[in-house]
Amino acid sequence: MSAPNNDWHDLQNVWQSQAIDLPKLQKQTLWKTRRMMLWVAVEIAMVPFLWWYTWWIWPQSSTLLKAWMLLWCALGPVITWWWWHLRRGTWRAESGNLHDLLALKQKRLQAAYRMATHSFWMLSLCGVLIVVMAVLSWFEGGIAERSTEFQLGWFVGISISILWLIAWTIGTHFYRRSKLRQLQAIKHVIAEFNEQA
Amino acid sequence: MSQAFDAVLSEFGAAIARVAAAYERNPALREELQQEILLAIWQALPRFRHDASLKTYVLKIAHHCAVSHVLKEKARPPHQVLNEELIDQQIDPATLAQLRQHSERLLYVVQQLPLASKELALLALEGVSHQEIAAIMGLNVNVVAVRLSRLRSTIQQQLERVA
């Protein structure tokens, strides 16, 4: 304890008389850090798995499925890198004071909200495009004349893609809403902080 | 887990738990917050440049993490949850009972403080010097001294009120 804080001495003693179960805390932290490392390993392993899977199903795939798989083969490493980058950069703000941190958080939330809004409309547009492409390929691409087995495979592929897009669009909508709520909360906290400071 | 992180956990684990308790009353959420803080420290340790003390660095991350947690938590419990697991069970029962009363009252008062004052109070209660507080909060040392003096009076008044 430093000399200038002597008038806080009694309060410090009372405050620091609280203790914690350190072994429990250490055990929990070890588990959490290991789980986090495991997740990173799984995410990284997903990329070669996706490439291998694409290579494996390539000969039996339709052109649409090939294009779809190629898109994910390209996006996979980018998404993995982005998640890793986000995790790594989470605590870059430790160099600033509390006011800087709040301002930075507000900026990040605004960016996240904008990104979520763009993603929401992009995903909705992708959904519409897939439906249009499916209808076109059914009538113009000669799928209507192919065997029932082929049509069933084609239909399952399209359905999975659409369902997957719908799930992402709904998820993005809720994410966007939560970011908006957090943005409102942080504006309130900043206003409160400025009043007190 | 690295040796440096183990050392931080042993040395500042209690302070981190107290910071978490000051920001989060719900025991389950508090435990979650402690983990968030420790993970943040684990990630930030390689970037520690020794331009401040390790304690200051750790407490700063703990506060930033706690503030982020507060922002995330929309529904906060309206009642005080007693802080059972924070009390050291090795102290004799009479002293323990007294400390429980004092520390719980102090914890309650600190939990009620507004955000800007809470950080200041917690740093002072953890024994951080005026100079270091000034550096953390981006304030002048004299301003810190004045604010701490005012804050101490407020805390004393509140402690008497809840006694």
Side-chain angles (χ1 to χ4, degrees), chain A residues 166-179:
Chain A
I166 289 172
W168 264 97
T169 311
I170 293 171
T172 308
H173 170 68
F174 283 109
Y175 176 78
R176 183 170 158 255
R177 265 193 8 188
S178 95
K179 290 294 152 197

Side-chain angles (χ1 to χ4, degrees), chain A residues 5 7 12 15-16 19 28 196, chain B residues 86 114 124-125 128 130 152:
Chain A
N5 270 353
D7 53 340
Q12 282 170 350
W15 181 254
Q16 291 175 23
Q28 285 172 337
Q196 294 153 8
Chain B
L86 280 174
L125 289 168
V128 178
H130 285 195
R152 190 179 170 278

Side-chain angles (χ1 to χ4, degrees), chain A residues 8-59:
Chain A
W8 282 76
H9 186 76
D10 291 345
L11 289 174
Q12 282 170 350
N13 280 346
V14 175
W15 181 254
Q16 291 175 23
S17 67
Q18 300 175 85
I20 54 151
D21 187 353
L22 262 185
K24 187 183 165 194
L25 191 60
Q26 281 165 326
K27 208 173 142 188
Q28 285 172 337
T29 309
L30 183 69
W31 162 239
K32 193 138 186 175
T33 45
R34 279 192 181 160
R35 202 175 55 182
M36 205 171 125
M37 285 192 271
L38 185 72
W39 269 116
V40 173
V42 169
E43 279 165 17
I44 292 170
M46 282 303 285
V47 175
F49 174 76
L50 189 67
W51 290 346
W52 169 82
Y53 184 71
T54 306
W55 171 81
W56 186 68
I57 61 156
W58 192 262

